[in-house]
Amino acid sequence: MTQETSTKAAVVFDIDGVVRDVSGSYRRAIADTVEYFTNAAYRPTPVDIDQLKSEGVWNNDWEASQELIYRYFTAQGEIRKELQLDYNAIVAFFQSRYRGPDPNNLTGYICHEPLLLQPNYLEQLTQAGIAWGFFSGATRVSANYVLEKRLGLQSPVLIAMEDAPGKPDPTGLFATVAELENGIEQKSAIVYVGDTVADMYTIEKARNLDSTRIWIGVGVLPPHVQETAARGEAYGETLLRAGAAIVLPNVQELTPKQIHKLISRVCA
């Protein structure tokens, strides 16, 4: 029996930038929040946000918003520790834009996120014997909105913001894998699909903590960086330097054949 057919595979997907396009939602909410708390003096561009995210530690968009606000004011000569930023107020404003003013009735930017994969893609993985689940820094409400309401998935395996420390801590990835394997003895090769440096750092940390199985990071270019070839190429190079084995323009290009090809390459 070949390695390709004998090695079980499981794919864990990030959600934002992989399953849904958040350039007009989460990232727009970041820009709105920073603009509001800098008194309209600074609105970060998509490139500004990408540069922050490329540091690999700003996966939480509330914290990313706060950091951009801090950096604006310190660039004006103010002292960070003397700034009186109210993190809870930042979160509340962000959520009012992203979810809408009523947390029980989503009407904000979340309602207009284009989907980047279709349910039949996940069905192809299932038919190929490949388990799949989701590990995301999004809140459970936000993640379930896209997975269950938009994609129609029935109780998918999901580890969300409330369930584990933020990336690049791999605790949530380990928890997702544990749910997918559900006590089986044979360890699967794990492919983690993400669109940020933090996602690639997560798979690297998982590999360092558990060398008993195969860990593969797959990068996906979020739509907003594909507006120009140069920007898409630069973003892809950043993901490769962070540890991605391959970078794809869309998650659905990660076919069962491609998954087994990646595993075979690692095993060779």
Side-chain angles (χ1 to χ4, degrees), residues 8-257:
K8 290 180 65 66
V11 182
V12 180
F13 299 97
D14 179 33
I15 294 177
D16 303 331
V18 175
V19 176
R20 61 181 171 191
D21 180 1
V22 296
S23 57
S25 55
Y26 269 128
R27 286 169 178 260
R28 183 180 175 189
I30 290 175
D32 287 357
T33 303
V34 175
E35 184 176 46
Y36 179 81
F37 284 94
T38 59
N39 302 310
Y42 170 52
R43 182 178 180 85
T45 66
V47 173
D48 292 336
I49 296 171
D50 283 341
Q51 287 177 339
L52 183 76
K53 295 278 188 179
S54 71
E55 295 176 13
V57 294
W58 304 108
N59 192 65
N60 182 310
D61 288 335
W62 302 334
E63 294 175 357
S65 299
Q66 177 178 249
E67 181 62 18
L68 287 169
I69 297 165
Y70 269 129
R71 292 188 186 187
Y72 168 76
F73 283 117
T74 55
Q76 308 310 307
E78 300 199 36
I79 299 172
R80 179 183 284 247
K81 65 181 181 181
E82 294 180 358
L83 291 169
Q84 301 295 316
L85 296 186
D86 184 338
Y87 181 69
N88 290 331
I90 291 171
V91 172
F93 183 89
F94 183 103
Q95 294 294 76
S96 75
R97 292 297 191 268
Y98 180 68
R99 290 190 186 182
D102 180 359
N104 299 312
N105 181 30
L106 301 180
T107 58
Y109 300 156
I110 188 175
C111 299
H112 309 290
E113 297 169 328
L115 295 176
L116 301 176
L117 65 72
Q118 298 299 321
N120 64 350
Y121 165 71
L122 298 172
E123 181 58 32
Q124 290 172 20
L125 297 183
T126 300
Q127 291 176 356
I130 298 171
W132 49 268
F134 304 90
F135 168 43
S136 172
T139 64
R140 183 163 283 274
V141 168
S142 171
N144 276 332
Y145 179 82
V146 66
L147 298 180
E148 297 185 355
K149 185 169 183 178
R150 298 285 308 283
L151 287 172
L153 305 180
Q154 300 297 314
S155 300
V157 170
L158 166 66
I159 299 297
M161 175 192 285
E162 299 91 337
D163 306 317
K167 294 178 276 188
D169 188 310
T171 302
L173 180 57
F174 289 142
T176 310
V177 171
E179 283 199 36
L180 289 175
E181 292 187 329
N182 194 27
I184 64 172
E185 291 186 8
Q186 183 179 356
K187 290 194 171 186
S188 305
I190 304 301
V191 178
Y192 185 49
V193 189
D195 71 315
T196 67
V197 168
D199 294 322
M200 299 306 108
Y201 285 176
T202 300
I203 200 81
E204 183 68 23
K205 287 177 179 290
R207 185 183 299 116
N208 291 338
L209 289 170
D210 178 8
S211 60
T212 64
R213 70 165 85 231
I214 296 168
W215 300 93
I216 300 171
V218 171
V220 171
L221 296 178
H224 74 275
V225 306
Q226 299 189 54
E227 294 172 0
T228 67
R231 191 171 172 203
E233 183 176 344
Y235 195 97
E237 287 297 326
T238 298
L239 293 179
L240 289 169
R241 285 196 301 271
I246 190 173
V247 176
L248 303 171
N250 178 267
V251 63
Q252 294 185 135
E253 292 191 19
L254 185 66
T255 61
K257 183 178 180 180

